Amino acid sequence: MGDYWSQMYDWRNKMNKFMGDDFWTDFQDMFASNGPLVNLYEAGNELICTVYLPGIKKIDDVDVYIHYRTLKVKGQTTMNLKGYRNVQEEYKHGPFERIVELPFPVRDKPIDASYKRGILLIHLHRLIESREEKRSLKITDVDES
C-alpha cells in the first residue's frame, strides 16, 4: 500500500509542474470532500492535525495512515436518534475517508494520536534527512579471534 501512496504523490507533483501549483485551488469547491473537516497547525518541526469526528462509537473503528506527506483517516461515524427524522444535515454521518496532503514530510515515529470530545488529534514530527557524511563501519574479523 505504501507504494500506492508514493505513486499518487509523484503523480500529483507531475501534474502540479505541468499545470502550475495553484491550478487545483480554483476547483476546490467543486470537489467538496465527504470526509471530516481537518485543521493543521505547525510549530517548528512539529505538526498537529485535528480531525472533526463526532459520533465515533469505538475509536478502534477509525484507521489513520501516515506516509511521507500524506495523512489518511478512514472510519465510520453514527448518530442514532430513534424516533426522529433528519430535517437538516450539515455534517455527514456514515462511512468516511479523508486524505490530506501535509505541508512537509513527516517521520514514522513518534506519532501520537488521541480522541477527545469529537476531535481526533494527531501529533507528527517533520522528517529531517541527515546531511551528515556517511561514516565507515568498522568490521570485526571473527576468524582472527
Side-chain angles (χ1 to χ4, degrees):
M1 189 135 165
D3 189 41
Y4 170 79
W5 291 110
S6 187
Q7 290 173 0
M8 290 301 292
Y9 182 72
D10 289 343
W11 178 84
R12 182 171 182 179
N13 281 342
K14 289 176 184 170
M15 287 300 294
N16 284 347
K17 285 179 185 174
F18 181 73
M19 304 297 269
D21 286 338
D22 59 346
F23 175 78
W24 300 108
T25 56
D26 293 338
F27 297 99
Q28 271 182 326
D29 292 337
M30 290 174 60
F31 302 110
S33 170
N34 289 335
L37 302 174
V38 175
N39 288 354
L40 301 176
Y41 304 93
E42 176 184 4
N45 290 327
E46 297 181 45
L47 184 66
I48 300 286
C49 306
T50 60
V51 184
Y52 182 63
L53 290 176
I56 296 294
K57 294 234 182 219
K58 294 185 315 186
I59 197 61
D60 292 341
D61 292 341
V62 176
D63 295 315
V64 177
Y65 305 94
I66 308 284
H67 177 72
Y68 196 63
R69 287 187 63 171
T70 305
L71 164 71
K72 178 180 175 183
V73 182
K74 184 177 180 178
Q76 180 156 339
T77 59
T78 56
M79 180 66 67
N80 276 336
L81 298 174
K82 294 185 189 236
Y84 291 86
R85 69 178 178 83
N86 186 352
V87 178
Q88 177 175 329
E89 184 176 79
E90 292 187 358
Y91 59 93
K92 304 288 184 201
H93 287 285
F96 66 85
E97 180 175 303
R98 179 71 194 270
I99 299 171
V100 178
E101 183 176 341
L102 303 174
F104 49 78
V106 295
R107 296 189 300 197
D108 292 337
K109 296 178 184 176
I111 297 174
D112 298 310
S114 59
Y115 181 76
K116 184 177 182 180
R117 296 187 179 133
I119 302 291
L120 174 64
L121 188 139
I122 305 164
H123 187 183
L124 303 168
H125 300 272
R126 184 186 301 257
L127 175 66
I128 301 173
E129 296 179 22
S130 176
R131 297 184 194 274
E132 296 178 9
E133 268 186 48
K134 294 182 180 179
R135 296 181 186 169
S136 175
L137 178 65
K138 183 179 179 186
I139 301 171
T140 304
D141 189 348
V142 179
D143 288 333
E144 289 189 15
S145 304

